């Protein structure tokens, strides 16, 4: 059994119009929502064995906050350039590279790629909001084997959900 938790970066700041998109930090709301959502995972006893994240500033900050709240060393996060606005095929390719010893993988990234990946794996969603989380379970032994046929929706959560 493999478990995948897809997390969209928390709300980013648009305060500095001269910053590149890649460099935008978290907004105040994002700084509040990221630990709140990590604590919800902790309450449900959902912990990562590995975390991969886009290397964009807002995704990195979300990944680090999530890791720290789940007692996962931020030094073990793998920041991957291809996850910054990656396509479905790029995102799935990165997931499939995961070591098979990893049972639960967290992936932090961006829309539209995350929405498209969720749809590709059979999740029905209009939009993954900022700091939103979408979980799948796969009845497989290897990450290389994951696909829509062996995917089961596990959960969907986001900051404004009660």
């Amino acid at each position: 059994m493999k478990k995948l938790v897809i997390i969209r970066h928390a709300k980013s700041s648009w305060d500095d119009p001269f910053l590149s998109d890649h460099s935008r930090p978290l907004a105040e709301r994002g700084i509040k929502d990221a630990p709140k959502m990590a604590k919800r995972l902790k309450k449900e006893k959902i912990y990562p064995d590995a975390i991969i994240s886009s290397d964009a500033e807002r995704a990195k900050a979300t990944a680090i906050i999530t890791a720290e709240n789940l007692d996962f060393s931020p030094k073990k996060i793998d920041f991957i350039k291809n996850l910054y606005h990656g396509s479905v095929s790029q995102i799935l390719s990165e997931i499939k590279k995961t070591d098979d010893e990893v049972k639960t993988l967290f992936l932090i990234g961006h829309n539209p790629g995350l929405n498209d990946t969720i749809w590709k794996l059979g999740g029905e969603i209009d939009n993954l909001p900022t700091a939103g989380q979408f979980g799948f379970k796969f009845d497989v032994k290897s990450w290389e084997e994951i696909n829509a046929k062996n995917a089961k929706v596990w959960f969907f959560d986001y900051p404004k959900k009660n």
Side-chain angles (χ1 to χ4, degrees), residues 10-21:
K11 186 72 176 167
S12 60
S13 173
W14 292 87
D15 289 348
D16 185 345
F18 299 105
L19 271 183
S20 71
D21 181 69

Side-chain angles (χ1 to χ4, degrees), residues 39-53:
K39 287 172 184 157
R40 288 188 190 175
L41 291 169
K42 191 172 197 169
K43 184 179 177 202
E44 297 298 321
K45 296 180 176 40
I46 300 170
Y47 294 92
D49 296 314
I51 297 176
I52 59 175
S53 172

Side-chain angles (χ1 to χ4, degrees), residues 71-120:
D71 305 315
F72 184 92
S73 173
K75 292 178 184 171
K76 292 169 53 179
I77 300 169
D78 191 5
F79 297 105
I80 302 170
K81 185 177 173 51
N82 280 347
L83 293 177
Y84 174 62
H85 292 309
S87 66
V88 173
S89 62
Q90 288 171 309
I91 292 168
L92 288 174
S93 173
E94 293 300 334
I95 293 168
K96 290 179 179 199
K97 291 177 188 175
T98 304
D99 188 291
D100 289 333
E101 295 296 311
V102 171
K103 303 290 184 226
T104 303
L105 175 67
F106 284 20
L107 177 149
I108 292 101
H110 311 266
N111 277 344
L114 296 183
N115 277 344
D116 295 343
T117 301
I118 291 166
W119 293 328
K120 178 81 173 178

Side-chain angles (χ1 to χ4, degrees), residues 2-65:
K2 301 294 180 197
K3 298 175 184 176
L4 173 65
V5 179
I6 296 172
I7 301 172
R8 185 175 172 197
H9 65 80
K11 186 72 176 167
S12 60
S13 173
W14 292 87
D15 289 348
D16 185 345
F18 299 105
L19 271 183
S20 71
D21 181 69
H22 192 271
S23 300
R24 286 190 296 114
L26 292 181
E28 196 172 312
R29 189 175 102 205
I31 292 168
K32 184 184 78 155
D33 285 347
K36 170 179 156 182
M37 295 305 295
K39 287 172 184 157
R40 288 188 190 175
L41 291 169
K42 191 172 197 169
K43 184 179 177 202
E44 297 298 321
K45 296 180 176 40
I46 300 170
Y47 294 92
D49 296 314
I51 297 176
I52 59 175
S53 172
S54 157
D55 66 350
E57 191 57 40
R58 60 196 180 272
K60 284 168 61 174
T62 302
I64 290 166
I65 291 167

Side-chain angles (χ1 to χ4, degrees), residues 91-157:
I91 292 168
L92 288 174
S93 173
E94 293 300 334
I95 293 168
K96 290 179 179 199
K97 291 177 188 175
T98 304
D99 188 291
D100 289 333
E101 295 296 311
V102 171
K103 303 290 184 226
T104 303
L105 175 67
F106 284 20
L107 177 149
I108 292 101
H110 311 266
N111 277 344
L114 296 183
N115 277 344
D116 295 343
T117 301
I118 291 166
W119 293 328
K120 178 81 173 178
L121 292 172
E124 293 184 18
I125 187 173
D126 288 329
N127 181 50
L128 185 63
T130 52
Q133 307 165 338
F134 199 101
F136 285 102
K137 290 182 178 181
F138 302 91
D139 191 16
V140 297
K141 288 188 168 78
S142 171
W143 286 101
E144 188 65 39
E145 301 172 69
I146 69 164
N147 61 48
K149 290 179 183 154
N150 53 43
K152 289 189 177 60
V153 172
W154 181 15
F155 68 90
F156 174 38
D157 197 9

